[in-house]
Amino acid sequence: MHLATLASGSSGNSILIGQDKRSFLVDCGIPVKQTLANLAMINVAAQDLEGIIITHEHVDHIRGVGALARRLKIPVYATAGLWEEIEPKVGILKPEQKVVITKEVNLAGMQVRLIPTSHDSRESYALKVLGKNYTVGIATDSGIITEEMHKNLQGCDAYIVEANHDQEKLWQGRYPWYLKKRIDSIWGHLNNTQLAEALTDWLGENAQKVVLAHLSEENNTPELALTTVLRILKASSVRKRCPRLKIRVAPRHVPHELIQLGE
Ligand SMILES: [Zn+2]
Ligand SMILES: [Zn+2]
């Protein structure tokens, strides 16, 4: 299996995931031009994309969806509730490009399971992607680790997960109070510590890669996210338990290098 973030953060999110020569995108919150350029940077042919699955309707996740789907003539997969929200925003698509999904869908030869998160949107989902030999967990945009996330995200081989903010930096920062409250609420975003604590529970000895994603530009830094997560993992047994584990941070505007599981 292969995976990469194409862009990550409130300016736009998109994740590529695939197996063999087949791939799909999780969200497309960046313009088409940037999506195509970023795919080229990691040597993935746009023609290999078989669809886009939507986690939720926020603009940093859907900005480029309609235009990319029209350009590549690929389907968009979303729940009925999310379609109600995104339909006016994605523009005109052929009926066969609008695919309504429920809890599970087969995409590019992989089984994708939708896991509800806790976020201030109509609906919002983390994903568990099951390939032939590996499993990938994707979880951003959640104020807490929900019971479903806790249950479903154990033991994946790789993760792309949200380390949105440092809680202290958020409250000391210059955001208005209502926004601080929103981000820190159960309907907001995961902070570095929340995520690290979840990882101590999720990571098993098969864990190869964790990519920290959706970092706030204002209330976090790549160094702070990484050191906080490493410190908490070190204090637990994870470091010993997962000898192969590598932790990286997703860049904001450019792709993370293509990760090949098993290599
Ligand atoms: Zn987001
Ligand atoms: Zn969101």
Side-chain angles (χ1 to χ4, degrees):
M1 265 175 110
H2 56 263
L3 60 145
T5 53
L6 294 183
S8 192
S10 54
S11 44
N13 295 277
S14 188
I15 292 168
L16 171 98
I17 180 152
Q19 183 174 268
D20 306 323
K21 286 280 282 171
R22 308 176 68 184
S23 298
F24 66 90
L25 290 188
V26 177
D27 298 327
C28 185
I30 50 174
V32 183
K33 211 172 140 187
Q34 190 186 351
T35 308
L36 297 174
N38 289 8
L39 281 169
M41 283 170 80
I42 53 170
N43 295 315
V44 172
Q47 291 73 24
D48 293 344
L49 292 183
E50 297 187 17
I52 310 167
I53 185 167
I54 309 299
T55 63
H56 66 299
E57 76 272 18
H58 286 163
V59 67
D60 57 318
H61 296 260
I62 64 157
R63 191 180 281 113
V65 166
L68 189 74
R70 282 187 286 279
R71 168 80 73 99
L72 300 178
K73 299 184 171 58
I74 54 175
V76 178
Y77 299 83
T79 61
L82 287 179
W83 268 118
E84 280 184 23
E85 300 295 324
I86 68 171
E87 196 144 24
K89 297 170 192 157
V90 298
I92 294 165
L93 292 175
K94 296 205 170 98
E96 64 270 23
Q97 284 180 291
K98 298 181 196 170
V99 185
V100 179
I101 57 174
T102 52
K103 286 185 179 136
E104 248 182 72
V105 58
N106 192 289
L107 256 171
M110 290 159 282
Q111 201 61 28
V112 183
R113 192 179 302 161
L114 280 70
I115 305 155
T117 69
S118 174
H119 196 51
D120 54 358
S121 56
R122 167 79 176 254
E123 294 169 21
S124 180
Y125 297 98
L127 303 175
K128 185 171 190 173
V129 185
L130 300 104
K132 274 185 296 202
N133 303 313
Y134 300 108
T135 304
V136 176
I138 295 171
T140 68
D141 299 77
S142 193
I144 49 168
I145 304 295
T146 62
E147 191 54 41
E148 290 90 340
M149 289 164 78
H150 175 73
K151 262 201 325 237
N152 282 287
L153 292 172
Q154 311 264 353
C156 295
D157 299 279
Y159 292 87
I160 297 178
V161 277
E162 173 172 67
N164 179 263
H165 59 280
D166 176 87
Q167 200 179 26
E168 215 179 291
K169 208 168 156 56
L170 170 72
W171 283 102
Q172 285 170 358
R174 57 180 185 183
Y175 273 11
W177 187 80
Y178 76 89
L179 196 53
K180 291 177 179 178
K181 207 163 174 299
R182 183 232 150 197
I183 293 168
D184 201 22
S185 78
I186 67 161
W187 306 107
H189 290 277
L190 290 176
N191 67 50
N192 297 337
T193 305
Q194 279 175 298
L195 188 258
E197 283 167 358
L199 286 173
T200 62
D201 184 44
W202 291 340
L203 295 168
E205 59 184 28
N206 59 321
Q208 296 178 35
K209 287 275 185 347
V210 171
V211 180
L212 306 179
H214 215 307
L215 268 69
S216 164
E217 197 161 24
E218 184 75 28
N219 306 309
N220 210 355
T221 66
E223 296 72 29
L224 185 54
L226 201 55
T227 51
T228 307
V229 170
L230 286 174
R231 177 170 45 77
I232 292 168
L233 293 190
K234 218 170 171 181
S236 74
S237 58
V238 167
R239 267 322 201 180
K240 280 192 201 120
R241 194 161 80 218
C242 317
R244 290 194 299 166
L245 178 66
K246 290 203 168 62
I247 302 178
R248 299 283 181 265
V249 177
R252 186 169 301 279
H253 301 291
V254 293
H256 186 286
E257 65 173 355
L258 193 69
I259 295 167
Q260 295 280 358
L261 293 179
E263 275 183 2

